[in-house]
């Protein structure tokens, strides 16, 4: 059973930073693409950032230049560094692990950007 455990969410003021982490309980982490999604109240879940097995990254337009996704295969962990946070970044952030038809989700971590 694959488990993804997110951490690092919380309350931050506009302009602040947070780093989310997601640890995966898989034997060979490097073969999986990883992604972060988010879902704000009343909205659909949306892709925030993705990182492939070759470390290629892509981002939603709304976070380009502010967020950075990275991975540490030795620690089975993917990160999302979030800078210059805005109130509209407020959402539950979910980690996603995928390979071919397999897709697993974490339980989510709340990020609230408010003064």
């Amino acid at each position: 059973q694959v488990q993804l455990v997110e951490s690092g969410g919380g309350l931050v003021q506009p302009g602040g930073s947070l780093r989310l982490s997601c640890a995966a309980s898989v034997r060979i982490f490097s073969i999986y693409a990883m992604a972060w999604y988010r879902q704000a109240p009343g909205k659909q879940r949306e892709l925030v950032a993705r990182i492939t097995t070759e470390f290629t990254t892509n981002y939603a337009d709304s976070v380009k230049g502010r967020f950075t996704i990275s991975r540490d295969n030795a620690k089975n962990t993917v990160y999302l560094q979030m800078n210059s946070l805005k109130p509209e970044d407020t959402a539950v952030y979910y980690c996603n692990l995928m390979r071919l038809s397999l897709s697993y989700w974490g339980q989510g971590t709340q990020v609230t950007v408010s003064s």
Side-chain angles (χ1 to χ4, degrees), residues 25-70:
S25 64
V26 293
R27 195 163 64 91
I28 308 175
F29 180 72
S30 61
I31 67 174
Y32 297 93
M34 300 296 299
W36 287 96
Y37 286 74
R38 68 186 180 187
Q39 188 166 19
K43 294 188 176 181
Q44 288 189 333
R45 191 173 297 189
E46 63 174 357
L47 175 68
V48 175
R50 178 186 289 123
I51 186 166
T52 71
T53 56
E54 290 81 30
F55 292 82
T56 300
T57 59
N58 63 283
Y59 297 90
D61 288 343
S62 59
V63 306
K64 281 180 181 176
R66 300 188 297 122
F67 290 11
T68 302
I69 189 171
S70 61

Side-chain angles (χ1 to χ4, degrees), residues 16-109:
S17 298
L18 283 175
R19 188 176 84 152
L20 306 183
S21 300
C22 172
S25 64
V26 293
R27 195 163 64 91
I28 308 175
F29 180 72
S30 61
I31 67 174
Y32 297 93
M34 300 296 299
W36 287 96
Y37 286 74
R38 68 186 180 187
Q39 188 166 19
K43 294 188 176 181
Q44 288 189 333
R45 191 173 297 189
E46 63 174 357
L47 175 68
V48 175
R50 178 186 289 123
I51 186 166
T52 71
T53 56
E54 290 81 30
F55 292 82
T56 300
T57 59
N58 63 283
Y59 297 90
D61 288 343
S62 59
V63 306
K64 281 180 181 176
R66 300 188 297 122
F67 290 11
T68 302
I69 189 171
S70 61
R71 64 189 298 161
D72 185 337
N73 289 340
K75 296 182 178 180
N76 282 22
T77 300
V78 63
Y79 303 97
L80 185 68
Q81 178 66 44
M82 305 185 294
N83 299 329
S84 302
L85 282 161
K86 305 175 181 180
E88 51 263 44
D89 295 318
T90 295
V92 178
Y93 284 70
Y94 296 92
C95 175
N96 178 249
L97 175 150
M98 70 201 88
R99 173 175 168 80
L100 301 176
S101 62
L102 296 176
S103 181
Y104 295 94
W105 294 90
Q107 81 286 355
T109 186

